Amino acid sequence: MLLADDQALLRSAFKVLVDSEPDMEVVGEASDGAQAYALARERRADVVLMDIRMPGTDGLAATRMISADPELGTVRVVMLTTFEVDEYVVQALRAGASGFLGKGAEPDELLNAIRVAAAGEALLSPAATKGLIATFLAQGGGADDTPAAGTAHAQRLAALTGREREVLVHVAAGLSNDGIAGRLEVSPLTVKTHVNRAMAKLGARDRAQLVVIAYESGLVRPRAE
């Protein structure tokens, strides 16, 4: 994995922790986003632990660069943030990040986050998923409500089957494959197939992207508390 943070002391602490695990290794360290992107191309790490706020090219820009590079399609970016609900985190998810992690996370949480991201899953708990997206959209960060935007979103979702749309709604609610399987009375493997097909049709890198698309398209609306 790659570590991208402008604080050398923090990188060192993360490196000691990660390298202590038999199934993990830090293959590079970057102090800004541009260096992180260059190292991602050079080292082809499975996961990049990326700070959002860095001087020069920040983590958000670097995430966009990594996500837009077809040669880095399997690289997963986990954003490091001081605040759990942050508009920059939502932008990072839109840009292709697989999730986010608070800098105050416990060591076990960090290691689990890396493993989850490496496995291609979304690093977002159900509560964090709904809270993060719904809060940001409620503040005006959602999709454009113009007729043209509405048509574009409708066309995007039109590629999905009825079952895939149903699964997408449950994914946006933060349910796991097992949870969705229980709701729909099908096997987890069937749910996984629907999720993978939805990701392919919508151009989503992972479940985190599906959550953003579900809200941006208006398929799912944040509930008023």
Side-chain angles (χ1 to χ4, degrees):
M1 66 163 294
L2 284 175
L3 297 172
D5 195 296
D6 60 322
Q7 300 180 46
L9 185 60
L10 191 60
R11 293 200 311 271
S12 296
F14 284 156
K15 186 177 189 305
V16 170
L17 177 64
V18 172
D19 285 345
S20 69
E21 295 297 300
D23 59 335
M24 297 184 189
E25 180 185 6
V26 173
V27 297
E29 297 181 45
S31 58
D32 62 40
Q35 187 178 16
Y37 173 64
L39 283 174
R41 286 188 58 85
E42 178 184 339
R43 308 290 171 82
R44 301 302 168 92
D46 297 318
V47 178
V48 180
L49 198 59
M50 182 92 72
D51 188 19
I52 287 184
R53 297 176 180 85
M54 291 183 287
T57 303
D58 64 16
L60 185 60
T63 299
R64 289 195 183 103
M65 292 162 66
I66 290 173
S67 299
D69 192 327
E71 295 185 12
L72 301 180
T74 61
V75 176
R76 301 292 179 237
V77 177
V78 175
M79 305 301 299
L80 280 172
T81 177
T82 305
F83 305 101
E84 187 167 282
V85 177
D86 187 321
E87 67 178 77
Y88 292 109
V89 176
V90 177
Q91 292 179 37
L93 293 176
R94 287 173 172 161
S98 295
F100 66 97
L101 187 70
K103 285 191 173 183
E106 296 293 326
D108 286 348
E109 289 182 272
L110 174 65
L111 296 174
N112 180 66
I114 295 169
R115 292 188 174 101
V116 169
E121 297 295 329
L123 185 63
L124 293 168
S125 67
T129 298
K130 292 185 286 187
L132 179 71
I133 303 296
T135 297
F136 184 62
L137 292 181
Q139 294 173 347
D144 187 353
D145 289 328
T146 63
T151 299
H153 292 313
Q155 291 175 341
R156 196 176 191 185
L157 293 176
L160 303 181
T161 65
R163 179 62 92 179
E164 288 164 357
R165 288 169 67 100
E166 190 175 8
V167 168
L168 177 56
V169 170
H170 289 307
V171 168
L175 294 181
S176 66
N177 285 353
D178 287 344
I180 298 172
R183 293 283 184 89
L184 301 182
E185 299 183 345
V186 297
S187 71
L189 181 58
T190 296
V191 173
K192 183 178 180 180
T193 298
H194 288 310
V195 170
N196 288 340
R197 286 175 178 170
M199 286 194 293
K201 291 178 180 180
L202 298 174
R205 290 167 65 93
D206 56 26
R207 294 172 79 96
Q209 294 289 292
L210 287 180
V211 173
V212 175
I213 291 170
Y215 276 99
E216 285 190 323
S217 66
L219 180 64
V220 176
R221 297 285 184 179
R223 293 180 180 179
E225 299 295 338

